[in-house]
Amino acid sequence: MNPPVASADEAKRQTGLSANKAVGPLPAGHPMVKTGRVGVLLVNLGTPDALDTGSVRRYLREFLSDPRVIELPRVAWYPILYGIILNTRPKKSGANYAKIWNRELNESPLRTITRAQTEKLAASLSDLPQVVVEWGMRYGNPSIASAVKTLKDQGCERILSVPLYPQYSATTTATANDQLFRALMKLRHAPSVRTLPPYYDEPVYIDALARSLEGHLARLPFEPELVLASYHGIPKPYFLKGDPYHCHCVKTSRLLRERLGWSDKRLLTTFQSRFGAQEWLQPYTDKTVERLAKEGVKRIAIINPGFSADCIETLEEIDGENREIFMHAGGEQFAHIPCLNDSEEGMDVIETLVRRELAGWA
């Protein structure tokens, strides 16, 4: 007796094939494989899983072992990393994370916000039923590899990766892409992929920054004398080797000033989060806020256009450390403008870019 074969309609239902794909009888014993869907993967930097020293150490070890983040030869860097940094920095970093931790969900704000961005994007793409939206972190959990597996298990034959870094750097966008392709290298049947280009000069992004900034300034109880656009820094040697990050940041600030109709004295560009002894991109944010206060500036606000979601670098470093530096040096009023996060303006950016990059796929 011949084994039963699935009808074309049954084959479509079992495999998830779209109506425009040819189907036929499945051979006996053929595994049921879901296909025909398109994945969208939102990617951000990452976060420790918890506040304990072990969790923070695991996160820092993965982060600081990335050769794109620290370009020193391993033979020179690993004794410093394993002999000094991973024995001293986790406790301090854990204490800083504790200041901004989402206690209700027991996670970092970055994880909370990235999940919310994913859920809102999925809802906004409900008119594209074949599209599945997931999220993953370059370092820590949920990993990019686990997110790729989830998308594959749901039948995604194509994946659009969306690194949520407006300005490109080898230390951010490239590391996210590296990890995506490492995950694909382990798959027998790898999906087709696209990666979102940097969007530092996209009109929808510049307009979202301007609308968000205008709205928050209008609600402040004071008027800042000037605003700093503070971006995460990179070592100056990386820039000299050809990393375009500095150029992307400067152009973002220029376009934002033009959109707002401000002068270059009203919106300044600075760089934060330097690490180690070598020179990083300047001017430094902390040195700038201190200088401004000592020169008599009493009221400032800081925006972080390089971050798509608030995290330890914005909530603790800017709204904590730099606020303290400014006030201690003589400042009187300080405001941190939230990142775009999952706000209406922020989701406009993500949805607009994702729909464009899905063209021909969905």
Side-chain angles (χ1 to χ4, degrees):
M1 181 177 179
N2 293 330
V5 292
S7 66
D9 288 343
E10 178 66 11
K12 289 180 183 179
R13 185 189 68 79
Q14 291 176 340
T15 64
L17 285 170
S18 57
N20 62 347
K21 286 195 174 185
V23 296
L26 295 177
H30 191 286
M32 293 298 103
V33 180
K34 293 181 179 179
T35 60
R37 307 191 82 180
V38 177
V40 175
L41 174 59
L42 301 188
V43 179
N44 217 317
L45 182 74
T47 171
D49 292 323
L51 290 172
D52 62 278
T53 301
S55 296
V56 178
R57 181 180 290 114
R58 283 193 299 274
Y59 170 72
L60 291 177
R61 180 174 64 239
E62 183 180 10
F63 176 38
L64 297 176
S65 295
D66 192 321
R68 285 197 190 266
V69 174
I70 304 295
E71 295 187 359
L72 293 173
R74 303 296 93 179
V75 67
W77 172 238
Y78 272 23
I80 299 172
L81 176 63
Y82 285 90
I84 301 174
I85 293 174
L86 293 179
N87 290 319
T88 58
R89 194 173 179 86
K91 183 176 181 180
K92 179 181 178 181
S93 294
N96 288 335
Y97 271 105
K99 298 174 185 177
I100 57 132
W101 203 250
N102 182 339
R103 302 287 177 173
E104 182 179 354
L105 296 178
N106 191 29
E107 63 186 19
S108 74
L110 180 61
R111 182 174 291 173
T112 303
I113 295 166
T114 307
R115 181 191 301 110
Q117 290 169 326
T118 302
E119 292 171 350
K120 289 187 177 182
L121 179 62
S124 69
L125 297 180
S126 60
D127 61 310
L128 303 174
Q130 75 272 45
V131 172
V132 181
V133 185
E134 272 295 333
W135 59 290
M137 297 295 191
R138 169 60 190 91
Y139 313 104
N141 295 302
S143 68
I144 292 174
S146 68
V148 169
K149 182 180 185 303
T150 299
L151 292 172
K152 277 283 294 177
D153 289 347
Q154 295 183 72
C156 293
E157 297 176 288
R158 305 175 183 189
I159 295 176
L160 168 63
S161 178
V162 184
L164 292 173
Y165 308 109
Q167 299 81 18
Y168 176 95
S169 173
T171 62
T172 53
T173 309
T175 66
N177 292 339
D178 288 345
Q179 197 68 351
L180 170 64
F181 284 98
R182 287 191 189 101
L184 297 179
M185 287 170 64
K186 298 178 181 179
L187 298 179
R188 172 69 61 181
H189 185 186
S192 300
V193 297
R194 291 175 177 170
T195 61
L196 178 73
Y199 51 96
Y200 61 97
D201 58 354
E202 292 282 353
V204 66
Y205 163 67
I206 299 300
D207 187 63
L209 288 177
R211 288 189 288 131
S212 176
L213 179 56
E214 289 171 331
H216 283 94
L217 291 180
R219 292 189 291 272
L220 288 180
F222 67 95
E223 181 177 354
E225 296 168 60
L226 52 84
V227 175
L228 300 187
S230 179
Y231 301 84
H232 198 293
I234 61 171
K236 186 176 179 180
Y238 296 11
F239 164 66
L240 295 177
K241 291 177 182 178
D243 196 302
Y245 180 71
H246 178 267
C247 300
H248 289 185
C249 294
V250 171
K251 187 172 183 181
T252 296
S253 293
R254 177 176 64 80
L255 293 174
L256 180 57
R257 278 197 301 268
E258 292 174 357
R259 165 61 176 78
L260 294 167
W262 290 6
S263 73
D264 58 3
K265 293 181 173 56
R266 180 81 193 279
L267 181 69
L268 309 181
T269 297
T270 60
F271 297 91
Q272 62 182 85
S273 308
R274 64 188 184 277
F275 173 77
Q278 64 184 320
E279 182 181 356
W280 283 45
L281 295 180
Q282 294 194 42
Y284 300 139
T285 300
D286 55 355
K287 300 298 183 183
T288 300
V289 300
E290 182 179 33
R291 175 182 60 80
L292 289 171
K294 290 181 177 180
E295 290 175 353
V297 175
K298 300 298 183 182
R299 306 179 305 279
I300 67 170
I302 298 184
I303 186 174
N304 294 111
F307 297 84
S308 61
D310 277 307
C311 54
I312 191 168
E313 285 88 357
T314 66
L315 298 174
E316 195 281 326
E317 183 180 353
I318 295 299
D319 202 18
E321 293 178 21
N322 280 270
R323 175 189 292 274
E324 183 177 343
I325 291 170
F326 181 69
M327 303 300 279
H328 182 75
E332 296 178 356
Q333 300 281 356
F334 181 101
H336 172 246
I337 307 301
C339 294
L340 293 177
N341 296 325
D342 61 333
S343 65
E344 179 180 348
E345 296 90 352
M347 295 312 303
D348 282 347
V349 176
I350 297 174
E351 181 183 353
T352 298
L353 298 177
V354 165
R355 284 187 181 273
R356 184 189 69 192
E357 296 302 317
L358 285 176
W361 277 11

